[in-house]
Amino acid sequence: MITDPRKYFLIDFDSTLTRVEGLDELAAIALKAFPDGAEKVAQIRELTDKGMTGELTFSESLTRRLALLNANRSHVDILVDFLKENITASFLRNRAFLSQYADDILIISSGFKDFILPVVEYLGLKPENVYANTFVYNEQGDITGIDTGNPLSRTGGKIEVVRSLGLDGHISVIGDGFTDYEIKKNGLAQRFYAFIENVERPAVTAVADFVIKSLDEFLFYNQLPRGYSYPKSMIKVLLLENVHPAAVAAFEEQGFDVEFHKGAMDEEELCEKIKEVSIIGIRSKTHITEKVLAHAEKLLAIGAFCIGTNQIALKEAEKRGISVFNAPYSNTRSVVELVIGEMIMLIRKVFVKSTGMHKGTWDKSAVNSFEVRGKKLGMIGYGHIGTQLSVIGEALGMEVYFYDITDKMPIGNARKCRTMEDVFKVADIVSLHIDGRPENTNLIGARQFEQMKDGVIFMNLARGHVVDIPALVDALKSGKVAGAGVDVFPKEPKTNKDPFASELMGLENVILTPHIGGSTEEAQQSIGAYVPERLLEYINNGSTTGSVNFPELSLPLLHDSHRLLHIHRNVPGILAKLNNIFAKHNINIRGQYLKTSPEIGYVIVDIEKSYSREFVQEIRSIEETIKFRMLF
């Protein structure tokens, strides 16, 4: 009978099991109070790196570092506490693997047992499986040297130790340094995995069999127990248009591979870039078209870091099993405050007078300068922004009128109008709060401006293409519109470095702002937190709460089960097919959830952990399957 060889896992400690180099951090602790401490720590870090990349022999690197070190046993105790707080994230996530394979995990390190053993025991690994150096102390507890009888104190020490162990089986080495590679180079291991979650050294990655961004990837490649069903470092996140750093941090903290760009991307650029992307985050300038989605083979979810989603082909995304999330409330207050501020400046002609003052003109006059109190505020669109503007407008003493294509309940004393024209007839100030759907293109043109009161104040902080700009220019020049606040434009620069041009430039009593309605620190931070929360809920748990194109399901946290997420074309009989497969393979179902839209069905099934690959393959092979994922 042939049996599989025993598997051994030889794991480095510094910058692998922990995020830092232990000796470097010991130096930082011990030399902190010395006048030249920072300089010596920098020298030690440089010597460490040269030893790791093979520029110096290990013996030379270690000898020169110890000569600079001035440490005591008390410093080692401080270091241990620090290291426990700096265990590599993917090792913490995968304690189940560490526990299950504790007998077969060997820590082979050129570091020191003095600080390695407490960390290893903290993780539940076996201290007898740790091979490392030891410090020598004097009576006062000062470090005076190391045990030179230990092979690991010498160049080639790891090779000597591993050879002496006489391991019989399949040996994998996981580490960040050249000395880890040398174990494999000398024929003592089958594979060397260059570990780059904490530090990436080109000289090391160049000789590796595999380069892994986390322990999750190693476990995934070798089909070993892991904290997640997929390595998060293999999930690529593309964030465009300078989304808030909070979003970048949210994904990086979870171990995702994040790429960040300040600007937008055009269709051709995005078609190429999106091929390997699983999650994309955009704002309003990037358009995810059907053509882009056709190239997005790995895409699971889209995050719109704004209110609107008209820049996304929602139906096509739905058909492809890609869930879309936005931030419907997060920047509402910021937009409303800008509307109120510009409205007051325009009706008081503050902007005109301020421009004149900068040119040396003193115009202390009340002519055509009014209060907003008692004026009629007319809104086209009564959604989240419109309703909040309504409340604040009333608080300022204004009468509020609105029109919306859907039936909306008025808040406070706001009055609903049957048509846009009814709003235009009464409003002293018209403010647009509508979405950017194609049918709203040039919704406000010459005819609509003619319907408005003479001397109206006009505000567009909604979407650029909903207003016919030449018609607005004519209305401003004729005096029909006394002032305008415009924050959005049919064509906008992709980045802050690109030029801006508009026919509205140079007109009196026109405030132009560069699409900053939601651009406050508060709003962007709120959006930067809210959208990733929704995306991570979907990726990690399967919940679609807040999705704008998917059946909404709020799922319980996964507990002691594996979760199957099946997205399929919404045709009769899919649930029956699934249940037949469960019955055929004797799968015990712990929870089942289903929601459908006209296009797709979304089935989530929590099952016991024991099942075969054949069972999973049968689920994947259902003809109507669009996307299938597993979580555990």
Side-chain angles (χ1 to χ4, degrees):
M1 178 179 173
I2 299 174
T3 58
D4 291 335
R6 183 174 175 180
K7 294 179 180 178
Y8 290 97
F9 309 98
L10 277 52
I11 301 176
D12 185 32
F13 183 80
D14 296 301
S15 294
T16 300
L17 194 65
T18 59
R19 294 185 290 180
V20 296
E21 293 287 328
L23 198 61
D24 292 0
E25 299 305 324
L26 180 60
I29 293 166
L31 298 171
K32 185 177 181 181
F34 287 74
D36 59 350
E39 182 183 339
K40 286 187 175 180
V41 171
Q43 291 175 32
I44 288 172
R45 292 188 192 280
E46 184 181 356
L47 290 167
T48 297
D49 199 54
K50 285 184 176 180
M52 287 293 180
T53 57
E55 292 179 64
L56 292 176
T57 64
F58 171 73
S59 293
E60 185 178 358
S61 169
L62 182 59
T63 301
R64 289 170 63 179
R65 282 183 286 164
L66 288 171
L68 293 166
L69 186 68
N70 191 348
N72 182 276
R73 196 187 299 273
S74 62
H75 297 132
V76 176
D77 294 337
I78 296 170
L79 174 64
V80 168
D81 290 337
F82 176 79
L83 293 177
K84 286 179 180 178
E85 294 296 320
N86 282 276
I87 295 170
T88 299
S90 64
F91 278 87
L92 283 175
R93 284 197 296 270
N94 289 286
R95 280 189 158 185
F97 162 72
L98 300 179
S99 174
Q100 186 173 338
Y101 286 86
D103 288 335
D104 307 310
I105 294 173
L106 281 63
I107 307 300
I108 312 287
S109 173
S110 301
F112 293 82
K113 285 186 178 182
D114 307 65
F115 55 76
I116 293 175
L117 285 177
V119 177
V120 163
E121 290 181 90
Y122 175 72
L123 283 171
L125 293 170
K126 297 193 170 182
E128 60 267 30
N129 284 356
V130 173
Y131 299 87
N133 285 300
T134 53
F135 288 124
V136 174
Y137 302 88
N138 63 18
E139 291 181 3
Q140 290 74 41
D142 299 322
I143 295 173
T144 58
I146 63 171
D147 176 11
T148 55
N150 188 329
L152 288 164
S153 67
R154 304 187 290 268
T155 298
K158 288 189 177 182
I159 299 165
E160 191 175 337
V161 166
V162 175
R163 184 174 283 128
S164 71
L165 292 172
L167 303 175
D168 184 18
H170 187 280
I171 301 170
S172 298
V173 180
I174 303 171
D176 63 285
F178 201 79
T179 56
D180 302 308
Y181 158 69
E182 288 180 325
I183 297 171
K184 193 271 176 140
K185 181 185 177 183
N186 282 269
L188 298 170
Q190 280 71 38
R191 297 279 172 84
F192 168 59
Y193 295 82
F195 188 80
I196 63 169
E197 184 168 347
N198 303 310
V199 61
E200 182 173 355
R201 298 183 171 97
V204 178
T205 58
V207 295
D209 296 299
F210 293 94
V211 177
I212 53 174
K213 296 175 183 175
S214 67
L215 182 62
D216 306 283
E217 285 191 25
F218 172 79
L219 301 178
F220 179 80
Y221 290 140
N222 291 279
Q223 292 298 296
L224 292 162
R226 53 198 182 273
Y228 294 116
S229 48
Y230 54 90
K232 290 196 172 184
S233 52
M234 293 175 69
I235 297 290
K236 187 170 183 61
V237 180
L238 178 62
L239 299 176
L240 305 179
E241 302 187 63
N242 204 26
V243 300
H244 196 276
V248 180
F251 289 112
E252 286 183 341
E253 284 170 9
Q254 292 263 338
F256 292 105
D257 181 9
V258 181
E259 184 176 343
F260 172 81
H261 291 263
K262 286 190 173 182
M265 289 187 179
D266 60 29
E267 188 176 60
E268 292 304 317
E269 205 176 357
L270 201 52
C271 282
E272 184 60 34
K273 199 71 175 175
I274 208 166
K275 290 178 180 177
E276 299 299 316
V277 171
S278 299
I279 303 168
I280 184 168
I282 63 170
R283 293 173 75 180
S284 56
K285 292 178 187 175
T286 301
H287 290 261
I288 300 182
T289 62
E290 291 187 10
K291 181 178 177 181
V292 170
L293 291 171
H295 289 77
E297 296 179 4
K298 297 184 178 180
L299 195 63
L300 299 174
I302 300 168
F305 286 72
C306 52
I307 294 175
T309 54
N310 296 97
Q311 72 277 35
I312 303 167
L314 294 177
K315 280 293 180 187
E316 184 64 20
E318 181 188 22
K319 289 177 185 177
R320 293 179 177 273
I322 300 164
S323 191
V324 180
F325 300 85
N326 69 338
Y329 317 105
S330 300
N331 67 0
T332 300
R333 179 69 184 198
S334 296
V335 176
V336 169
E337 286 190 7
L338 188 61
V339 172
I340 293 292
E342 291 192 0
M343 178 195 308
I344 292 172
M345 285 200 295
L346 290 167
I347 204 166
R348 289 287 301 272
K349 289 195 176 290
V350 171
F351 181 69
V352 174
K353 293 181 187 294
S354 176
T355 303
M357 290 285 285
H358 281 285
K359 295 177 181 177
T361 302
W362 182 270
D363 179 17
K364 189 178 186 301
S365 168
V367 176
N368 293 322
S369 179
F370 305 96
E371 294 180 352
V372 295
R373 181 177 54 176
K375 301 301 182 291
K376 296 179 175 63
L377 171 61
M379 292 182 293
I380 308 302
Y382 201 63
H384 301 305
I385 292 173
T387 52
Q388 190 165 150
L389 179 59
S390 172
V391 171
I392 296 178
E394 277 201 45
L396 291 170
M398 305 180 79
E399 295 180 28
V400 177
Y401 297 81
F402 72 89
Y403 168 76
D404 199 293
I405 58 172
T406 59
D407 188 24
K408 298 287 180 71
M409 184 181 75
I411 293 177
N413 296 312
R415 303 174 194 179
K416 180 181 178 182
C417 297
R418 292 184 302 106
T419 65
M420 286 197 302
E421 186 176 358
D422 288 344
V423 175
F424 297 151
K425 285 177 182 177
V426 298
D428 300 300
I429 299 163
V430 171
S431 189
L432 304 184
H433 302 288
I434 56 180
D435 62 36
R437 67 188 70 185
E439 51 266 39
N440 283 343
T441 301
N442 290 338
L443 183 70
I444 308 299
R447 180 167 172 269
Q448 285 71 35
F449 286 120
E450 187 58 37
Q451 292 169 352
M452 296 179 195
K453 292 169 70 173
D454 292 342
V456 70
I457 298 296
F458 179 76
M459 313 286 298
N460 181 21
L461 285 83
R463 290 289 181 269
H465 66 270
V466 303
V467 176
D468 181 350
I469 298 298
L472 174 57
V473 171
D474 290 343
L476 284 160
K477 288 181 176 179
S478 70
K480 181 71 178 183
V481 174
V486 182
D487 185 53
V488 288
F489 306 88
K491 291 184 179 179
E492 298 181 357
K494 288 169 66 177
T495 71
N496 289 343
K497 294 180 181 179
D498 297 324
F500 167 73
S502 172
E503 297 166 73
L504 293 165
M505 294 166 66
L507 295 178
E508 188 178 78
N509 209 27
V510 175
I511 299 176
L512 303 179
T513 49
H515 205 146
I516 58 169
S519 297
T520 61
E521 286 292 339
E522 293 90 345
Q524 292 308 306
Q525 185 167 3
S526 179
I527 292 170
Y530 179 86
V531 176
E533 280 179 9
R534 303 287 79 75
L535 290 165
L536 289 169
E537 264 191 359
Y538 177 61
I539 297 298
N540 293 337
N541 194 49
S543 290
T544 52
T545 306
S547 176
V548 297
N549 72 327
F550 249 50
E552 274 204 72
L553 274 172
S554 181
L555 301 170
L557 293 175
L558 189 60
H559 180 68
D560 201 31
S561 301
H562 286 185
R563 178 165 287 171
L564 315 182
L565 311 174
H566 190 266
I567 303 166
H568 56 267
R569 288 187 288 112
N570 187 14
V571 297
I574 303 300
L575 195 58
K577 287 184 180 180
L578 286 167
N579 287 332
N580 284 337
I581 295 171
F582 295 141
K584 174 183 172 183
H585 291 269
N586 295 313
I587 302 297
N588 187 30
I589 296 174
R590 292 184 167 180
Q592 191 172 64
Y593 315 88
L594 167 66
K595 208 76 177 283
T596 63
S597 72
E599 289 287 343
I600 65 169
Y602 185 36
V603 176
I604 298 91
V605 186
D606 292 347
I607 63 173
E608 289 186 346
K609 296 178 181 179
S610 56
Y611 50 84
S612 64
R613 290 186 181 181
E614 290 75 21
F615 161 72
V616 174
Q617 190 54 45
E618 280 195 50
I619 298 288
R620 291 185 188 278
S621 300
I622 292 175
E623 185 181 349
E624 295 82 4
T625 301
I626 299 171
K627 272 188 168 58
F628 174 69
R629 289 195 296 142
M630 295 184 66
L631 302 176
F632 50 80

